[in-house]
Amino acid sequence: MQIRSRFCSHWLAALLLSLTFWSGLPGSGHAQEELRIATSYKLMTLDPHYANLNENTSLLSHIYERLVYQDDRLDLKPGLAVSWRAVSDRQWEFKLRENVRFHDGSPLTADDVVYTIERIRDFLKSPSGGFRSYVTGIESVSAPDPLTVLIETDGAVPNLPLFFSSIFVMNRPAKGFETTEDLNAGHPPNGTGPYRFESWSSGESLRLAGNDDYWDGKPAWSKVTFRVIENPAARVAALSTGEVDVADAIPARDVASLKERGARVASVGAARVNFVQFDVARDTLPGVTDKSGEPIANPFKNPLVRRALTLATDRGILVDKILAGYGTAAAQVFPNGLPGTSAKLLPEAPNYDEAKMLLAKAGFPDGFNLVLAGPASRYPGDAESLQAVAQSWARIGVNAQPAAAPFSVFNTKRAAGDYGVWYGGTSGEAVDIILHTLLASPDPERGTGALNFGKYRNEAFDAMLARAESIAVGPERNAALAQATELVMADQPIIPLYHFHHIVGYGSRIGSYVLHPRGWTTAMQTLPAME
């Protein structure tokens, strides 16, 4: 049986409402006073290329800019590049914007783009691969003149401009490559963005000043302070008392009370997915035992077990109760209707009887025990989702012990292999980006599988995805991506749970806050109230 979430129309309406107001890179002729933002995003590094995480891309986008950016339709728009074209199947040309300067006064040139690509491809060694998957197909990059970048690829890369919508451009130093350690130790970040770096206290705050010489006009705020408040209730309280002007990641349960206290709320459906992921590679797994507590062979290697747990997952409770309607039940990596999604994949209602039969067929008639790990206060409803999934699985004899931890702890342990099954989330520029990083076979040479911590491998899917990625952007590519998604989701390497809605609250000093489906929290989305 298949069910359609009644919140699909809510998501589309919210997205269309945001389209009315979004201006991409807003400027203002008159800068206001300080903007104070309470954010759930804990900036982990000042290196814009070290970790491909939303907290970094969101906060560092004030300082650094990309060649290309995505509007809230996820369409590509000019950023530091005013145009781009495929010269041939293996060659791309990007033309840079004139009269752009870094914060130290030096001009943006094509050589800075060359440096940026080479730093990611040849120098930086981040634990999860960072942004390397975006540039592994680049064979060479050159600057025939100060405003032209010529890129040679080792094969057809029709999606190359989309990749550059994720990469921040850095200024080439006098010699060598800047290290992550140097950037974190106090080398002032030097970008072209609308705000300049002032100070950073890891896990606590980020302070910025308006860049009055910004190429697209003076920014709307003279000062911006981000306060990291990981606890959702504390963010709501800070907004309610006027300590901050904007608070992101508002829990759905707090929306009504915030409105009663005079705050306004904006929301939009997220171009992302939250899911359960299985380790399907190792023979035994930490925290996975029989009912007596003895270790057992990895049950998640068996697709029948993965299918059983999928059928025993009640997405309706997650969306209706935990997210209070600010979400959409998921069956794939992006909400239905976005480019590359499949209309055939719809979330299923739970079927506990069939799930029990599948477990018995797989050799687990009595079920088994496991630890279900996940981050706390990272995503809307994350800790509650762990509890709800555990309660659902208990109905088929799988006793799951929820184990929520701060994201930094969870992320470290997940990468170290301390978990056998976990709840997570990811976003991306497009469907193929998520498929490429989350579900494709891990391959450092190809740059695939950076977020495939379960080490899932499916050669047929890899081939279908590679074919789809070789097709130029358009209907044919979207259809190929949908077919690849249908194939891989039938194998259940993950259980898609929901696409939550981004919810932001703002106070009286804010005229409007324009949400983006990528979930960024920026001063550029925040317009001051007219006096």
Side-chain angles (χ1 to χ4, degrees), residues 203 240 388 525:
S240 300
Q525 296 164 252

PDB file of all heavy atoms in Angstrom, residues 203 240 388 525:
ATOM      1  N   GLY A 203      32.347  27.013  18.023  1.00  0.00           N
ATOM      2  CA  GLY A 203      31.231  26.506  18.787  1.00  0.00           C
ATOM      3  C   GLY A 203      30.454  27.549  19.550  1.00  0.00           C
ATOM      4  O   GLY A 203      29.494  27.230  20.252  1.00  0.00           O
ATOM      5  N   SER A 240      12.297  35.023  21.612  1.00  0.00           N
ATOM      6  CA  SER A 240      11.121  35.519  22.335  1.00  0.00           C
ATOM      7  C   SER A 240      11.443  36.722  23.211  1.00  0.00           C
ATOM      8  O   SER A 240      10.625  37.633  23.359  1.00  0.00           O
ATOM      9  CB  SER A 240      10.522  34.398  23.193  1.00  0.00           C
ATOM     10  OG  SER A 240      10.122  33.303  22.400  1.00  0.00           O
ATOM     11  N   ALA A 388      10.794   7.309  17.948  1.00  0.00           N
ATOM     12  CA  ALA A 388       9.642   6.826  17.185  1.00  0.00           C
ATOM     13  C   ALA A 388      10.008   5.633  16.315  1.00  0.00           C
ATOM     14  O   ALA A 388       9.238   4.658  16.212  1.00  0.00           O
ATOM     15  CB  ALA A 388       9.082   7.958  16.327  1.00  0.00           C
ATOM     16  N   GLN A 525      19.747  36.860   3.469  1.00  0.00           N
ATOM     17  CA  GLN A 525      18.335  36.508   3.354  1.00  0.00           C
ATOM     18  C   GLN A 525      17.458  37.363   4.271  1.00  0.00           C
ATOM     19  O   GLN A 525      16.240  37.228   4.273  1.00  0.00           O
ATOM     20  CB  GLN A 525      18.151  35.028   3.712  1.00  0.00           C
ATOM     21  CG  GLN A 525      18.853  34.060   2.765  1.00  0.00           C
ATOM     22  CD  GLN A 525      18.981  32.675   3.355  1.00  0.00           C
ATOM     23  OE1 GLN A 525      20.065  32.249   3.728  1.00  0.00           O
ATOM     24  NE2 GLN A 525      17.885  31.963   3.464  1.00  0.00           N
TER      25      GLN A 525
END
